[in-house]
């Protein structure tokens, strides 16, 4: 699993604000409004504790600070514990936390201590980036969507698209993964590198840890790309050439989705 780096988070605050603006333009919902709509939940003054975790590769510079920015940006109450790990957990509970946010190298979770709900970042990230595509007004008539990357983020996105009655085309470099997904879900296999079956898409979801996964052949003029994948899967040159609109931010969008999943 790819770990976030401080460089990935360097521009996170601007990216979150800018993506929220784009999501509002595309869907008529602000990001928190869209979360409210899809989860049918709302915040009720919960106190959110962010616990820095030193396990494995340790603290990532500005990870906790980026979570706190997200919490505060959307008008919620939160704090970073002074202690890390188990001592931080104890501090969070003693200070009256309702929700815990914490991540090690394998999992980033939100746990609501009051109602018992727990959320996983990969599932909630796949879901919200997929819902953004489904709620984009100008793209509502065409139900075809291409999903590139069928891992722990891409798979919940596939489930979300199917729930939203989209025609789902899937690709992964791992052909075994493609076969598994095609046998488990009513989706179509689509290999962009196979020129015998060229097809382009207005809606593209990408969740891989690689660059240049979105090739020119799958693009239409003004395609909408919703991609949590880091680094960005489409080149600046193609973005410009096709007037691509792109939803991409390293941490805050997925975090807000996790919080609404546990409210
Ligand atoms: P994963 O390893 O579970 O899945 C990635 C999938 O991409 C794999 O199935 C792999 O075979 C496939 N893949 C790799 N290279 C490819 C290529 N060139 N073309 C097509 N498929 C390719 O990883 P994941 O947990 O699903 O995460 C995916 C990406 O999303 C990572 O970059 C991760 O850092 C990022 N992520 C971002 C956020 C966010 O908030 N922006 C949140 C979670 C994860
Ligand atoms: O507390 C810290 O600063 C660190 N322990 C945070 C670790 C963050 N973990 C990751 O980046 C892993 N990839 C799992 C979470 C996926 C979030 N995109
Ligand atoms: Mg995110």
């Amino acid at each position: 699993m790819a770990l976030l780096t401080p460089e990935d988070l360097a521009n996170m605050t601007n990216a979150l604000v800018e993506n929220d603006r784009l999501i509002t333009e595309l869907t008529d919902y602000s990001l928190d409004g869209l979360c409210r709509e899809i989860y049918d939940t709302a915040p009720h003054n919960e106190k959110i504790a962010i616990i820095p975790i030193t396990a494995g590769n340790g603290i990532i510079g500005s990870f906790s600070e980026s979570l706190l920015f997200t919490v505060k940006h959307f008008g919620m109450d939160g704090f970073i514990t002074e202690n890390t790990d188990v001592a931080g957990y104890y501090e969070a509970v003693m200070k009256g936390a309702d929700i815990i946010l914490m991540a090690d190298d394998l999992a980033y979770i939100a746990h609501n201590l009051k109602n018992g709900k727990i959320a996983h970042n990969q599932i909630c990230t796949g879901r919200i980036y997929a819902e953004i595509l489904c709620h984009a007004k100008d793209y509502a008539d065409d139900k075809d969507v291409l999903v590139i990357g069928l891992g722990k983020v891409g798979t919940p996105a596939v489930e979300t698209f199917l729930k939203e009655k989209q025609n789902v085309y899937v690709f992964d470099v791992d052909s075994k993964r493609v076969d598994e997904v095609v046998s488990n879900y009513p989706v179509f296999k689509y290999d962009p590198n196979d020129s015998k079956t060229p097809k382009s898409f207005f809606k593209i979801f990408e969740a891989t840890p690689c660059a240049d996964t979105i090739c020119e052949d799958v693009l239409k003029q003004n395609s909408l790309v919703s991609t949590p994948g880091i680094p960005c899967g489409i080149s600046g040159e193609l973005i410009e050439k096709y007037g691509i609109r792109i939803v991409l931010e390293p941490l805050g969008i997925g975090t807000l989705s996790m919080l609404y999943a546990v409210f």
Side-chain angles (χ1 to χ4, degrees), residues 9-41:
L9 296 174
N11 192 35
M12 178 274 177
T13 55
N14 286 334
L16 185 59
V17 172
E18 186 50 34
N19 275 272
D20 193 10
R21 193 201 55 71
L22 175 61
I23 290 162
T24 308
E25 180 187 308
L26 289 167
T27 69
D28 280 350
Y29 290 105
S30 57
L31 178 57
D32 53 345
L34 182 59
C35 287
R36 188 184 287 248
E37 168 75 13
I38 67 180
Y39 289 107
D40 198 20
T41 57

Side-chain angles (χ1 to χ4, degrees), residues 12 16 31 108 121 124-125 128-129 227-228 230 248-257:
M12 178 274 177
L16 185 59
L31 178 57
Y108 166 29
N121 176 258
C124 294
T125 299
I128 185 69
Y129 278 80
T227 173
I230 303 168
L248 165 61
E249 181 279 331
L251 190 58
I253 294 176
T255 295
L256 199 70
S257 179

